[in-house]
Amino acid sequence: MTGKMQFIGLTFLICTLLLGGCNSLRRGLKAKSPQVDEVKRTPAEKNKAKLLKTIDRKFENPQAHFELGQLYQADGLWAQAENEYNIALSFDPVLREAQAARVKVLLDSGDKAKADILIDIYMGQVSSSAAGSLRLALAFQKQRLDEYALTCYQQALRLAPNSAKINRQIGYYYLSRNNKVQAQEYLSRSFQLNPNQPEVAGELGRLGIAVRIPRKTEKNTRKLDKIVEQSDKAY
């Protein structure tokens, strides 16, 4: 009887050890699985998780919502993307990048009617501001909405006709459309307003317009004066 009890006790001990080992193994696998998942996740997924954590810590972060919307937009998740852009704009109503991205999402999803309404609203907001018009133009350009970008550039130019940068941007637009006549007109105007633009001079050169980049002049003449003074002393 004593032998049987010892055998049973020994068997129970072995089973306990085996179960404990299995549980430890399972716990180890669970602990490692996040690392395995982390390796398998794409950069976009990792970025999405990071942005969600940022938003969880501070929901009223317009830039985080905008960037998350960009990721949804890249995945073709139009509704989620527009929602994030809308939230971003609720915290920063003049975030031009979010405005342009929202228009792009609506156009891509087929809701042109709503997109047209928003375009009128956003362009109206900057109708009296050259800086605002320029920022919205650049935002539209990033979304490859060149037609709306050009309208905003022209609006900015009406408000600031002597801006070399705006003339340059319009010139580049026409250059991308292979409209060399219009490109030459705006790039030439830009160069006249600011001759210190080597890249514009290069484009004009490729269009067959010879231009001269002004040489830099020495602003600090004290060094030159010292050279002459030292030379005078030597004599």
Side-chain angles (χ1 to χ4, degrees):
M1 189 71 181
T2 304
K4 260 187 194 179
M5 291 297 294
Q6 289 178 344
F7 177 78
I8 291 169
L10 182 60
T11 303
F12 179 79
L13 178 61
I14 292 170
C15 290
T16 302
L17 290 172
L18 286 172
L19 286 171
C22 289
N23 288 333
S24 297
L25 181 60
R26 279 197 293 271
R27 284 194 298 271
L29 289 172
K30 284 181 181 179
K32 290 179 180 179
S33 60
Q35 296 176 359
V36 174
D37 291 342
E38 187 68 21
V39 171
K40 290 181 179 179
R41 288 163 72 185
T42 64
E45 288 170 339
K46 290 177 182 178
N47 196 15
K48 191 180 293 182
K50 184 179 177 181
L51 288 169
L52 286 169
K53 285 182 180 178
T54 300
I55 290 169
D56 188 51
R57 286 194 298 268
K58 186 180 179 183
F59 187 77
E60 63 278 16
N61 185 330
Q63 188 62 30
H65 284 288
F66 167 69
E67 291 177 16
L68 183 58
Q70 292 278 274
L71 294 176
Y72 286 137
Q73 183 177 346
D75 291 338
L77 302 172
W78 313 129
Q80 291 94 319
E82 194 204 349
N83 182 58
E84 292 301 326
Y85 296 144
N86 199 26
I87 295 171
L89 289 168
S90 70
F91 294 119
D92 185 356
V94 294
L95 185 58
R96 306 303 174 194
E97 290 83 0
Q99 290 179 341
R102 191 180 179 194
V103 169
K104 174 66 172 173
V105 161
L106 289 169
L107 290 171
D108 287 345
S109 64
D111 196 347
K112 190 175 186 303
K114 188 176 179 180
D116 288 340
I117 292 171
L118 289 179
I119 289 166
D120 288 341
I121 292 171
Y122 297 152
M123 287 187 180
Q125 288 177 354
V126 298
S127 60
S128 60
S129 169
S133 297
L134 180 58
R135 289 193 185 96
L136 186 57
L138 291 167
F140 277 135
Q141 192 171 336
K142 284 181 183 178
Q143 293 295 327
R144 298 182 180 179
L145 297 173
D146 293 342
E147 180 184 347
Y148 305 121
L150 178 61
T151 302
C152 287
Y153 280 135
Q154 290 172 334
Q155 180 169 275
L157 190 61
R158 284 195 296 272
L159 296 164
N162 293 325
S163 169
K165 290 290 178 70
I166 296 173
N167 277 282
R168 185 193 70 180
Q169 289 301 114
I170 296 176
Y172 282 162
Y173 169 84
Y174 283 118
L175 201 61
S176 70
R177 289 291 184 275
N178 203 31
N179 188 334
K180 295 181 180 180
V181 175
Q182 290 280 58
Q184 179 181 320
E185 179 184 341
Y186 285 100
L187 290 175
S188 296
R189 175 64 176 159
S190 177
F191 193 77
Q192 287 170 3
L193 291 166
N194 179 12
N196 190 25
Q197 296 186 86
E199 69 284 0
V200 174
E203 293 297 347
L204 287 170
R206 282 185 278 276
L207 289 170
I209 307 299
V211 295
R212 292 181 62 185
I213 302 174
R215 293 182 178 180
K216 290 183 178 180
T217 57
E218 183 66 56
K219 292 181 180 179
N220 185 5
T221 60
R222 288 184 181 180
K223 187 195 299 185
L224 301 176
D225 294 341
K226 284 183 179 179
I227 293 173
V228 174
E229 288 170 4
Q230 288 172 355
S231 177
D232 290 342
K233 288 178 182 178
Y235 291 103

